[in-house]
Amino acid sequence: MPNWEAVSVAMTDRMAELDLTQADVASKAGVALMTVRELQRNLTPRRRSPRTLAALSEALGWPRSRLEDLSNGDRGEEPTLPGTDVTRELGRLRQELAELSARVDAIEANGERSR
């Protein structure tokens, strides 16, 4: 059974470390934003294409096999950095802010159209 929680934590930490949004990662990897969101939030645990995981790994500056290895239970040699919990929380908050901002923009755009 794949360990999608490990993938979620690793992605969140790395995105915070690199100051990347879900949209940034999706664009760099050439995958759908929903795919990044699902993996980062562990929303829909299901089998993922090795090609998708490889593209996301590279977008995050890792070797192609990093996320697939994590999903298979291999923690690799990734060191634990001081303040990881704070970094993870900061990354989560940044992501939520970006998502809320996008929602406000969409609401404002819909309001402009209905005038």
Side-chain angles (χ1 to χ4, degrees):
M1 174 118 176
N3 185 351
W4 296 118
E5 182 61 28
V7 170
S8 171
V9 169
M11 286 181 67
T12 298
D13 288 350
R14 186 65 165 181
M15 289 168 65
E17 181 182 323
L18 299 176
D19 196 25
L20 295 173
T21 65
Q22 289 177 344
D24 295 333
V25 175
S27 176
K28 284 182 173 195
V31 302
L33 177 60
M34 184 55 74
T35 300
V36 176
R37 181 172 293 131
E38 287 176 356
L39 282 166
Q40 186 192 11
R41 298 272 177 97
N42 196 17
L43 296 175
T44 311
R46 60 185 167 94
R47 187 169 179 264
R48 300 291 176 164
S49 161
R51 210 173 316 163
T52 298
L53 295 175
L56 289 167
S57 292
E58 287 184 332
L60 293 167
W62 284 329
R64 290 181 59 78
S65 65
R66 179 74 178 137
L67 291 177
E68 187 169 10
D69 291 346
L70 284 171
S71 75
N72 291 326
D74 180 8
R75 297 299 290 170
E77 298 295 319
E78 193 72 20
T80 303
L81 301 173
T84 299
D85 289 337
V86 172
T87 302
R88 183 179 305 125
E89 182 66 10
L90 179 59
R92 187 186 67 74
L93 290 172
R94 282 184 178 157
Q95 189 58 49
E96 284 186 22
L97 180 60
E99 289 174 10
L100 288 172
S101 179
R103 286 180 183 174
V104 168
D105 290 346
I107 290 169
E108 287 176 348
N110 284 335
E112 294 288 324
R113 284 188 218 134
S114 57
R115 287 185 190 174

